[in-house]
Amino acid sequence: MGTQLEIPPSIFEKIVNAKVAAAMTGAGVSAESGVPTFRGENGLWRNRRPEELASMEGFLDDPRLVWDWYDWRRTTIAEINPNDGHYALAEMETVYDEFTLITQNVDGLHALAGSRDPVEMHGNIWHTRCMKEGTIMENREAPLKRIPPLCPNCNTMVRPHIIWFGEELDTDVLKRAGEAARSSEVFFVVGTSSVVQPAASLAGLAQRNNSLVVEVNLERTPITDSVDLFLQGPSGVVLPDLLRMICRARGFDV
Ligand code: OAD
């Protein structure tokens, strides 16, 4: 049983009556499962140089170092389960007529929790891409038997299918995310520091298209001052509470 969130009635009414909604998530939504975030005190980028581990230059310079790091992350994530925040977001698909889950996370936990077709803006840590043919393949081996792993078709080295610094996002993915933000009546922004573009600009895009923007985060972020509602707290608690409130207001069993 969670706590009752304080939401002004006029805002709550919009959240309850909306038919089309979307959510954008970041590392914070997986934090309660034990996946480290990127920024902040114990963040992945605190003692590491992102350009060494998450850029094409870094990869070409030392593929083994980069794959060792991804192998460590994959091995950690393989042991991890979704939390109540992931499950609440998956449940939102049954609450709204249309609900698009957009994530910057590469851990695959939203799909594991039951989100049907998450828009993974930054790729997926369980996918590899052949350096020669560009073929994208699922690879769930953790730990990897061979580092760097090779393409089963042509024996060329593969790379993690993840967007690195300096790389463009996939156009179809970007289009889906933009359309979901534009068409949403409510747009939830959960557990992201909202500093990495273009993901961070989706809330503004939604708002310019008359969507109500609701932010869930432990801390204030650069977008907090402009959102319609800020729910401060852990997403694994706030989201299930919010879901329960919406379901009750709609007369669903909870
Ligand atoms: P960050 O590490 O930048 O931010 C995590 C956010 O989650 C912070 O705002 C925290 O306050 C918040 N947070 C932490 N625990 C939380 C909890 N239990 N409930 C709610 N909020 C919580 O992670 P992202 O914003 O996801 O890119 O980072 C964006 C991108 O930067 C990542 O996708 C990654 C990184 O470089 C790539 O790898 C391409």
Side-chain angles (χ1 to χ4, degrees):
M1 230 19 209
T3 50
Q4 189 79 359
L5 302 167
E6 277 180 32
I7 306 178
S10 60
I11 289 188
F12 185 58
E13 203 178 308
K14 285 185 188 161
I15 296 174
V16 171
N17 294 334
K19 292 193 164 32
V20 182
M24 142 68 70
T25 69
V29 83
S30 294
E32 287 156 82
S33 293
V35 182
T37 60
F38 291 92
R39 294 163 188 85
E41 222 173 295
N42 298 312
L44 288 172
W45 294 153
R46 188 158 171 94
N47 302 310
R48 295 178 179 87
R49 297 190 340 122
E51 58 276 24
E52 240 174 45
L53 299 166
S55 77
M56 186 49 105
E57 292 72 25
F59 184 64
L60 293 176
D61 201 38
D62 194 345
R64 170 166 271 280
L65 176 84
V66 173
W67 264 116
D68 273 338
W69 187 64
Y70 278 100
D71 191 40
W72 166 73
R73 283 180 64 197
R74 287 161 56 104
T75 311
T76 314
I77 293 167
E79 303 290 318
I80 277 172
N81 295 311
N83 64 59
D84 289 347
H86 295 108
Y87 289 116
L89 287 165
E91 199 69 21
M92 295 266 188
E93 291 181 10
T94 63
V95 168
Y96 291 106
D97 290 357
E98 258 181 64
F99 185 82
T100 309
L101 195 280
I102 308 161
T103 187
Q104 296 165 85
N105 300 346
V106 297
D107 54 31
L109 291 179
H110 283 300
L112 212 55
S115 285
R116 268 175 305 164
D117 190 14
V119 182
E120 294 178 317
M121 289 191 89
H122 293 164
N124 187 304
I125 204 158
W126 302 111
H127 292 166
T128 61
R129 193 160 84 233
C130 176
M131 292 289 283
K132 187 172 161 201
E133 301 164 334
T135 324
I136 298 159
M137 267 180 240
E138 189 175 58
N139 174 333
R140 294 237 162 219
E141 203 178 82
L144 287 161
K145 287 196 194 80
R146 188 195 189 284
I147 290 181
L150 302 178
C151 172
N153 295 335
C154 68
N155 245 20
T156 308
M157 185 167 66
V158 296
R159 57 166 281 177
H161 183 51
I162 284 182
I163 305 289
W164 282 334
F165 288 97
E167 293 183 330
E168 298 287 323
L169 267 68
D170 179 274
T171 24
D172 288 341
V173 165
L174 204 52
K175 196 164 156 238
R176 267 187 79 199
E179 275 166 8
R182 257 191 300 270
S183 64
S184 66
E185 293 159 77
V186 182
F187 191 76
F188 300 97
V189 184
V190 185
T192 173
S193 56
S194 288
V195 293
V196 173
Q197 295 295 355
S201 59
L202 288 176
L205 179 65
Q207 214 161 27
R208 284 194 298 282
N209 286 274
N210 301 317
S211 184
L212 180 96
V213 176
V214 179
E215 184 182 34
V216 178
N217 203 304
L218 287 182
E219 296 168 1
R220 297 180 72 82
T221 72
I223 69 160
T224 307
D225 282 341
S226 48
V227 301
D228 298 289
L229 176 69
F230 176 53
L231 297 172
Q232 187 160 19
S235 50
V237 175
V238 173
L239 291 173
D241 279 355
L242 183 62
L243 181 69
R244 255 190 301 272
M245 286 171 70
I246 298 170
C247 289
R248 271 203 200 103
R250 286 188 171 201
F252 295 169
D253 278 345
V254 281

